[in-house]
Amino acid sequence: MTDITVRLYAGETDWQALSDLLNACEATDRLVEDTSFSKFRMEFDLPSTDKAHDICLWEDATGRLIAFAYLRIPKSGEIIDGSLRFFVGTAARGGDLERQIVAWGERRMREVAAERGVQVLLRSGARHHQGDRIALLEACGFKPERHFFRMARPLDGAIPEPPLPAGFTLRQGGRQDASAWAEMCELAFSEHWNHHRVTVEQVKEELANPYYRPELDLMAVAPDGTFAAFCYCAVNPEWNARSGRNEGWIAILGTRPGFRRMGLGRAMLFQGLHRLKAAGAGTAVLGVDAENPSGAGRLYEGAGFRKVHTWISYGKGV
């Protein structure tokens, strides 16, 4: 396409156009992901997002938005890996625009490398059946790094309720638990692929989400008062209304080292399913690393989850 204008995000004045573009992409692609603009807007407004540099828009000669891209860039790390998400209107696909978007992401990550004096990577991804997106990424030099499964389980039937180990209690979380939440996240997932240090500030940002519901934020407390495991669930009513689906997420499930092999993960998973059902969700969904070192995939399959699709993470050094 010719006469394309590239510009940075202008804030509230772009909201309607971004929302319309996301809706149009979803109607075509049917990826049934939570791609509502309200979710992006919350991420854009986080203190950790550099709105002046990490959000870019492409418009045609009439000023109509035809694509946008968003980079999530960690604030620290020995290697900084930026995650690139981008959406392109159907009529603008298949030409040079997508390559321009990838090139923008590469330039921005090289700027980060120069500013911070660190090595950088650019990451993006695609579902296993998105042949055009996969071909684009591979043509741009990206290599597949990891596979993740999206899994789902209906909530309309009876749900088991395995007990917590003797002496353990279940408690509801809250924003006052941000420090404990961050510590347990860090301990539970530090050995996972591409783990990034979890800070109290990041947890506070997550718990400030307007859809956060304390009754879906569950912790298992050991007899000595230690937070031993947690199951953080979420329901986005806007996305459910927009997609015509009725889903709730098992967003994070983890067990602190030293408390594993006790049945805590299974007990907390089913507690989360009960809470999601009580919240009105008809299906529970989650994502899991296909090579998860803790064997989480087996736990989910045993709990009735079945694979829906595979997401492939691609990476490229820039």
Side-chain angles (χ1 to χ4, degrees):
M1 297 181 69
T2 59
D3 299 321
I4 293 177
T5 300
V6 186
R7 66 173 177 84
L8 297 176
Y9 175 59
E12 186 174 352
T13 57
D14 286 328
W15 290 357
Q16 188 60 56
L18 286 164
S19 180
D20 291 345
L21 177 63
L22 285 169
N23 288 340
C25 289
E26 175 58 28
T28 299
D29 300 329
R30 304 302 300 166
L31 295 179
V32 294
E33 300 283 354
D34 183 357
T35 52
S36 60
F37 181 63
S38 64
K39 180 177 179 180
F40 279 102
R41 193 173 68 218
M42 285 185 284
E43 292 188 10
F44 293 173
D45 288 339
L46 294 176
S48 57
T49 299
D50 185 347
K51 293 191 285 289
H53 297 95
D54 298 341
I55 309 167
C56 197
L57 287 69
W58 285 259
E59 296 173 333
D60 65 15
T62 69
R64 180 174 58 92
L65 182 68
I66 56 174
F68 93 92
Y70 167 43
L71 271 168
R72 295 188 66 177
I73 304 175
K75 291 299 182 184
S76 62
E78 294 182 5
I79 299 176
I80 302 296
D81 57 330
S83 176
L84 175 67
R85 296 194 68 182
F86 59 97
F87 298 84
V88 180
T90 306
R93 298 177 185 178
D96 189 52
L97 178 57
E98 288 111 328
R99 287 177 176 267
Q100 292 181 33
I101 293 171
V102 172
W104 167 80
E106 294 176 356
R107 287 194 301 272
R108 175 61 187 139
M109 291 310 299
R110 284 194 289 269
E111 291 174 357
V112 171
E115 292 164 2
R116 305 188 195 179
V118 295
Q119 181 181 348
V120 298
L121 296 172
L122 181 62
R123 288 195 165 102
S124 195
R127 284 200 187 177
H128 68 279
H129 59 77
Q130 289 183 280
D132 290 344
R133 178 62 63 95
I134 289 172
L136 168 71
L137 293 174
E138 292 182 347
C140 290
F142 287 79
K143 304 295 183 185
E145 295 182 310
R146 202 79 166 187
H147 291 70
F148 297 85
F149 298 147
R150 172 64 50 80
M151 305 182 78
R153 181 199 194 280
L155 298 174
D156 53 355
I159 301 174
E161 194 167 1
L164 293 171
F168 286 75
T169 56
L170 182 71
R171 61 159 284 182
Q172 181 176 296
R175 294 186 172 98
Q176 73 279 359
D177 294 319
S179 295
W181 221 90
E183 179 190 35
M184 192 152 51
C185 252
E186 185 65 21
L187 292 170
F189 302 115
S190 62
E191 54 196 41
H192 285 216
W193 179 79
N194 196 32
H195 172 74
H196 293 87
R197 188 175 69 87
V198 179
T199 67
V200 174
E201 290 72 23
Q202 289 171 328
V203 173
K204 288 180 177 178
E205 290 176 355
E206 173 63 30
L207 301 187
N209 183 326
Y211 297 132
Y212 172 74
R213 297 170 63 167
E215 67 272 21
L216 300 179
D217 182 2
L218 306 175
M219 294 187 176
V221 184
D224 65 359
T226 302
F227 286 169
F230 66 142
C231 182
Y232 175 55
C233 309
V235 176
N236 186 330
E238 178 188 350
W239 165 245
N240 282 335
R242 175 172 167 263
S243 66
R245 304 170 75 85
N246 185 20
E247 297 177 339
W249 280 82
I250 301 290
I252 306 177
L253 177 73
T255 303
R256 191 187 195 104
F259 293 94
R260 294 171 179 168
R261 310 293 180 187
M262 301 172 62
L264 276 170
R266 185 169 185 271
M268 293 299 288
L269 173 61
F270 279 106
Q271 286 290 340
L273 295 179
H274 278 283
R275 295 297 179 99
L276 287 175
K277 184 174 183 177
T283 302
V285 294
L286 54 80
V288 62
D289 184 344
E291 300 176 51
N292 183 289
S294 66
R298 294 191 298 274
L299 169 64
Y300 298 140
E301 288 178 351
F305 283 85
R306 296 295 178 261
K307 186 171 73 172
V308 177
H309 66 256
T310 302
W311 174 264
I312 308 171
S313 176
Y314 284 82
K316 176 183 181 180
V318 295

